[in-house]
Amino acid sequence: MLPQKQAEEAIVSNFSEGADHEGKELGAEENKDGENASLFSVKNFLWHGGSAWDAWFSCASNQVAQVLLTLPYSFSQLGLLSGILLQLFYGIVGSWTAYLISVLYIEYRSRKEKENVNFKNHVIQWFEVLDGLLGPYWKAVGLAFNCTFLLFGSVIQLIACASNIYYINDNLDKRTWTYIFGACCATTVFIPSFHNYRIWSFLGLGMTTYTAWYMTIAAAVHGQVEGVTHSAPHKMVLYFTGATNILYTFGGHAVTVEIMHAMWKPQKFKYIYLFATLYVFTLTIPSASVVYWAFGDELLNHSNAFSLLPKNAWRDAAVILMLIHQFITFGFACTPLYFVWEKVIGMHDTRSICLRALARLPVVIPIWFLAIIFPFFGPINSAVGALLVSFTVYIIPSLAHMLTYRKASARQNAAEKPPFFLPSWTAMFVINSFIVVWVLVIGFGFGGWASMTNFVRQVDTFGLFAKCYQCKPPKPVVAPAPHN
């Protein structure tokens, strides 16, 4: 039996994947030295991030992007009380399943290192953890759900970029803006790994913090619109659509393993996602609540909160910052897909950044195409939440944890014991079982029915390949009066 401390120390090995690709071989002690040396190196400070703070910024930044703009829309479907309670509920549940993923990663890593497996120049991903702990069928399931979720997550970022920039410059339609931002976001192929997102994660969280508090203050200063009504909830379809959008909000776990792998000491990740979620609550709950208070049922026809807030320099600044942040989030969502594709074509251990970037380009093309087909990210958020996030983020991690530790020998030799606040394997099994049943029935069942109903309704109303979804109608051309 390997004691827990020894297991944790065994995991702290050649972890600097981004640095590995540049030809650096860092052991555990060298990583510690590198962490200190980063204080004196501009390149390391901006580029090589592997601390617990880097992971916190990555988790918090990745958790709130365009969904920040759709939460008031969800509140108009759910009502204020349900909106706040569901945010708290799914935020805590999401933090728990992120903890489970971190435990399973450490278990997988410790087992492989006992077998002298070297992960130099290789990024461990969630489907590989499932494969190593539970077998190839689980690998296939994890790969299918994760990749599909990340694919549509990237699509949503492109749609949101076009939707947001339109509120500053409507000389071009949203479809044209999608073409432009698709080309811009394709440049993320040059970022090697999550190890290299240090400065981007920091800036991204600052951008969403500004946007959230801008929305809160702007809506409060604007006040309630004349004749405002708050009738939600009044339709089951809308209620469960809004609920699955909130389920999606706290479902950034598709990149959890990759963020952990970029850390110098991944065993420190266990509670990072919870701390990130607590900060995110300070952004999402005030902004969604105040915007809903100000505009009420008008939000039912405006899935993007920017469309109702007054146009001024403060709003334009928020739009621009969100555009930059969505570029960052696109990179977050696409990078695991890049890794999978590199492994498929045998390019994952290539050290040349330019060669890897060229190999990654085919991943961007279908994302670009899907963003043009489905230009409405509000309904897509709910559909992705119900059909993909429910399994990827909540159900699969809970089931995987129960099955991995179903035997007494596995529990006895576990690299990570139950947390201090719940020191019982039985209690963990009970909580995991509750999450599986709840999300399967409420999230996937009712949420899937509601979100797909709403999604089909949007397609029937606006059509695929919509040139400018939810745009203002063009001003009528007034014919000149005839001369007598």
Side-chain angles (χ1 to χ4, degrees):
M1 172 179 173
L2 185 66
Q4 183 175 352
K5 184 176 180 181
Q6 292 179 0
E8 291 181 353
E9 290 175 351
I11 296 169
V12 186
S13 55
N14 299 329
F15 250 76
S16 185
E17 190 274 337
D20 283 340
H21 280 294
E22 296 177 359
K24 297 180 181 179
E25 296 182 10
L26 301 176
E29 294 301 321
E30 290 172 317
N31 280 339
K32 293 177 183 177
D33 295 337
E35 188 172 359
N36 294 328
S38 67
L39 296 174
F40 308 98
S41 169
V42 174
K43 180 180 178 181
N44 283 346
F45 180 74
L46 298 177
W47 187 250
H48 293 304
S51 68
W53 277 107
D54 289 307
W56 183 85
F57 277 112
S58 292
C59 289
S61 178
N62 184 50
Q63 200 172 108
V64 283
Q66 94 298 328
V67 75
L68 187 68
L69 309 176
T70 65
L71 283 174
Y73 167 65
S74 298
F75 271 44
S76 71
Q77 299 169 319
L78 291 164
L80 183 63
L81 180 61
S82 290
I84 293 173
L85 291 178
L86 284 173
Q87 279 201 47
L88 294 172
F89 174 74
Y90 282 121
I92 298 301
V93 171
S95 299
W96 173 256
T97 54
Y99 168 79
L100 299 180
I101 291 173
S102 71
V103 168
L104 293 172
Y105 170 87
I106 292 173
E107 181 68 38
Y108 169 78
R109 186 72 186 254
S110 64
R111 291 185 186 182
K112 288 299 180 181
E113 289 189 345
K114 290 178 187 177
E115 301 170 4
N116 296 320
V117 176
N118 187 355
F119 291 105
K120 181 178 177 290
N121 290 341
H122 182 91
V123 177
I124 297 174
Q125 294 187 267
W126 177 229
F127 69 89
E128 293 170 317
V129 173
L130 292 173
D131 183 28
L133 297 177
L134 297 173
Y137 292 109
W138 278 87
K139 173 186 176 180
V141 171
L143 186 62
F145 275 104
N146 232 39
C147 288
T148 309
F149 171 33
L150 290 169
L151 176 72
F152 279 100
S154 303
V155 169
I156 289 168
Q157 300 311 316
L158 281 187
I159 299 171
C161 283
S163 176
N164 290 343
I165 191 63
Y166 184 79
Y167 296 118
I168 292 181
N169 186 337
D170 58 2
N171 293 326
L172 299 176
D173 59 75
K174 291 182 181 179
R175 188 167 65 192
T176 302
W177 281 120
T178 304
Y179 293 141
I180 295 171
F181 278 100
C184 294
C185 289
T187 59
T188 58
V189 298
F190 290 99
I191 302 177
S193 74
F194 285 101
H195 193 79
N196 311 114
Y197 271 96
R198 164 172 280 185
I199 189 63
W200 292 112
S201 298
F202 175 79
L203 293 175
L205 187 58
M207 294 167 187
T208 51
T209 299
Y210 170 87
T211 302
W213 285 107
Y214 154 73
M215 290 168 59
T216 304
I217 295 169
V221 171
H222 180 277
Q224 291 186 315
V225 296
E226 185 178 354
V228 65
T229 56
H230 301 87
S231 59
H234 60 280
K235 289 183 179 179
M236 282 188 64
V237 170
L238 293 179
Y239 186 87
F240 285 106
T241 300
T244 51
N245 187 38
I246 292 180
L247 178 145
Y248 171 84
T249 302
F250 298 97
H253 304 31
V255 296
T256 297
V257 171
E258 289 83 359
I259 291 174
M260 284 188 68
H261 190 84
M263 293 178 68
W264 293 311
K265 296 181 179 180
Q267 73 274 13
K268 288 186 176 182
F269 184 87
K270 288 181 290 187
Y271 306 117
I272 285 176
Y273 198 90
L274 173 62
F275 295 142
T277 298
L278 294 177
Y279 180 78
V280 167
F281 283 153
T282 69
L283 306 182
T284 58
I285 293 177
S287 60
S289 301
V290 177
V291 173
Y292 176 57
W293 166 82
F295 297 101
D297 290 349
E298 282 192 27
L299 286 160
L300 288 170
N301 297 316
H302 296 82
S303 58
N304 189 324
F306 280 149
S307 63
L308 291 175
L309 293 170
K311 180 177 175 58
N312 52 39
W314 296 102
R315 194 198 72 165
D316 289 351
V319 172
I320 292 170
L321 291 178
M322 284 303 292
L323 285 172
I324 300 171
H325 182 263
Q326 282 157 349
F327 164 81
I328 298 169
T329 307
F330 182 92
F332 270 110
C334 261
T335 299
L337 294 176
Y338 295 153
F339 292 156
V340 173
W341 178 245
E342 288 170 357
K343 292 171 184 177
V344 169
I345 64 175
M347 294 283 289
H348 186 57
D349 57 355
T350 301
R351 293 184 178 182
S352 170
I353 293 178
C354 292
L355 281 178
R356 293 180 72 195
L358 187 63
R360 290 172 170 188
L361 280 176
V363 177
V364 180
I365 295 173
I367 294 171
W368 207 349
F369 186 64
L370 288 170
I372 295 167
I373 297 177
F374 304 108
F376 25 85
F377 69 84
I380 290 179
N381 278 358
S382 299
V384 170
L387 304 180
L388 299 174
V389 176
S390 57
F391 283 92
T392 302
V393 172
Y394 301 97
I395 294 175
I396 292 177
S398 299
L399 285 174
H401 188 272
M402 288 190 290
L403 292 174
T404 298
Y405 298 108
R406 66 189 182 277
K407 295 181 179 179
S409 58
R411 297 192 293 272
Q412 184 179 7
N413 296 294
E416 284 286 336
K417 302 300 181 184
F420 69 92
F421 56 87
L422 196 71
S424 167
W425 288 103
T426 302
M428 293 189 72
F429 286 0
V430 170
I431 291 175
N432 291 343
S433 299
F434 169 77
I435 292 172
V436 170
V437 173
W438 174 276
V439 175
L440 192 62
V441 175
I442 304 299
F444 177 72
F446 286 99
W449 160 74
S451 60
M452 290 310 298
T453 300
N454 190 43
F455 185 83
V456 171
R457 185 178 299 162
Q458 296 285 353
V459 174
D460 289 343
T461 304
F462 299 100
L464 303 178
F465 296 98
K467 189 174 184 179
C468 208
Y469 172 70
Q470 286 190 346
C471 296
K472 295 178 181 178
K475 295 179 181 179
V477 178
V478 180
H483 294 286
N484 294 327

